[in-house]
Amino acid sequence: MFPSYLQSWYAYAGLTALILAYIVVGGVYGQQWPLPLSKQCQAICTYAQGKLRLLAVHVLRQGPIPQHVGFIMDGNRRFTKKAHMETPSSGHMAGFSKLTKVLEWCNDLGIKHVSVFAFAINNFNRSTEEVGALMGMARDKLRDLAENSELVNKYGVRIRVVGFRNLLPADVRESIEYAEEKTKGNLGMTLNVCCPYSATDEISAALRRVVEDVENGLLEAADINEKELERRLQIPGPDLDILVRTSGQIRFSNFMLWQSAKMAYIQFVDAYWPEFSFYHMARILVSWQLASRDIERRKLAGAVHDSLAASEQSRNSVSSSDTCCGDRAF
């Protein structure tokens, strides 16, 4: 519920916009300091920025909070060139550091499910050196995240890796199993790491499972519906509320296509993933909050329509069955 002074969406948006002025302290979009500052000034600015961020989180939590947010973490390699780093793996390391920060923001905001596109199946087509570096980072960082992360140890984040893990090296699969086993009892935020993943393959695999279950007598053909297919998708959790893609590219890149089609709020950010800031996150959340009532209204209307259509289909099925039986009687 909103406090009385935030009942107006315009007042809420205006107050949040003022809170987001913290970026003036930290530079454009919360990135590097725009001017050379002494260490003492940097410390003061960092402290003030942190306090303003906590205040912004408090204000944002007065509004509706999305339950499931997805991130296409794009732009690590281009960030490497922009920042004049020596190897592509440096950009990927910067991307992992940003992921830990984003997860902290999501946890502070009360978001319960986060899905990240860590590695696409077609990424295996990249150079052997880059793929090897990414596999090594996945092996080491998953284990480190499960063992040493404050998010896991203090806030109880649960790690799940979804995708076609049979394509991964054995040592990476071992780290996945370790991270999942160590965090399976945690009740905090759920992190779905999609690696290696493809939305079209996810849907195809779900369809194959539906067919197999029908053939094995576990599911009646007449009971096949949207919910049964969703139960067999790889990415668990509630409906996707927000999908964010960084790097300025406007495409889905075969990520969570089924989930995105269910009224997900799509946001494209013109910044490389390592440059993604709390300002971007808060701006997206405010925009979603302002649109959330209309989204829920449309979802409800769609659910009512689907229910009526299912009832009509059921009546037609019964009617056809009665006619068929009558024909056999004669």
Side-chain angles (χ1 to χ4, degrees), residues 13 54 179 257 292:
L54 292 176
L257 298 181
S292 62

Side-chain angles (χ1 to χ4, degrees), residues 94-152:
F96 177 80
S97 296
K98 179 58 63 175
L99 173 60
T100 59
K101 295 298 296 182
V102 172
L103 293 177
E104 290 175 9
W105 303 337
C106 290
N107 183 74
D108 291 344
L109 288 165
I111 297 169
K112 295 300 184 182
H113 298 265
V114 175
S115 298
V116 298
F117 201 2
F119 193 85
I121 291 178
N122 61 13
N123 285 159
F124 283 114
N125 295 327
R126 295 182 179 180
S127 69
T128 303
E129 180 183 0
E130 184 176 359
V131 171
L134 287 169
M135 291 297 103
M137 192 169 71
R139 178 195 62 225
D140 298 338
K141 295 302 182 182
L142 276 171
R143 186 175 290 270
D144 184 63
L145 193 64
E147 290 180 342
N148 304 315
S149 170
E150 184 180 26
L151 285 168
V152 169

Side-chain angles (χ1 to χ4, degrees), residues 223-251:
D223 295 332
I224 297 175
N225 55 31
E226 180 179 322
K227 293 298 182 183
E228 289 296 334
L229 181 63
E230 287 181 350
R231 286 181 53 238
R232 293 161 175 81
L233 293 174
Q234 294 171 340
I235 300 180
D239 285 351
L240 181 67
D241 293 305
I242 302 174
L243 177 65
V244 179
R245 187 202 175 107
T246 57
S247 84
Q249 298 295 316
I250 304 176
R251 59 178 186 268

Side-chain angles (χ1 to χ4, degrees), residues 37-241:
L37 299 174
S38 67
K39 290 184 178 179
Q40 185 176 12
C41 288
Q42 287 190 24
I44 293 173
C45 289
T46 299
Y47 175 81
Q49 187 182 19
K51 291 298 183 181
L52 286 172
R53 185 181 65 80
L54 292 176
L55 181 58
V57 167
H58 178 73
V59 172
L60 290 168
R61 291 195 65 155
Q62 303 308 308
I65 296 297
Q67 291 300 294
H68 192 175
V69 178
F71 293 96
I72 302 176
M73 306 180 295
D74 191 32
N76 290 340
R77 292 192 296 174
R78 279 165 284 171
F79 176 78
T80 301
K81 296 180 180 179
K82 179 180 178 180
H84 305 292
M85 295 179 172
E86 295 182 357
T87 62
S89 60
S90 300
H92 293 305
M93 287 297 295
F96 177 80
S97 296
K98 179 58 63 175
L99 173 60
T100 59
K101 295 298 296 182
V102 172
L103 293 177
E104 290 175 9
W105 303 337
C106 290
N107 183 74
D108 291 344
L109 288 165
I111 297 169
K112 295 300 184 182
H113 298 265
V114 175
S115 298
V116 298
F117 201 2
F119 193 85
I121 291 178
N122 61 13
N123 285 159
F124 283 114
N125 295 327
R126 295 182 179 180
S127 69
T128 303
E129 180 183 0
E130 184 176 359
V131 171
L134 287 169
M135 291 297 103
M137 192 169 71
R139 178 195 62 225
D140 298 338
K141 295 302 182 182
L142 276 171
R143 186 175 290 270
D144 184 63
L145 193 64
E147 290 180 342
N148 304 315
S149 170
E150 184 180 26
L151 285 168
V152 169
N153 296 326
K154 183 177 180 180
Y155 296 105
V157 169
R158 181 187 180 188
I159 300 172
R160 296 190 61 169
V161 178
V162 299
F164 298 86
R165 61 176 71 181
N166 60 301
L167 300 176
L168 297 171
D171 57 348
V172 178
R173 294 199 300 270
E174 290 175 5
S175 291
I176 289 172
E177 292 167 3
Y178 175 82
E180 289 184 332
E181 180 65 25
K182 191 174 189 303
T183 64
K184 68 179 182 180
N186 291 352
L187 302 177
M189 181 177 70
T190 296
L191 170 63
N192 300 311
V193 180
C194 301
C195 172
Y197 173 85
S198 158
T200 49
D201 287 342
E202 176 190 30
I203 297 170
S204 298
L207 287 170
R208 286 194 297 272
R209 289 185 59 192
V210 167
V211 172
E212 290 171 359
D213 288 346
V214 171
E215 291 176 344
N216 295 329
L218 302 175
L219 178 68
E220 294 294 330
D223 295 332
I224 297 175
N225 55 31
E226 180 179 322
K227 293 298 182 183
E228 289 296 334
L229 181 63
E230 287 181 350
R231 286 181 53 238
R232 293 161 175 81
L233 293 174
Q234 294 171 340
I235 300 180
D239 285 351
L240 181 67
D241 293 305

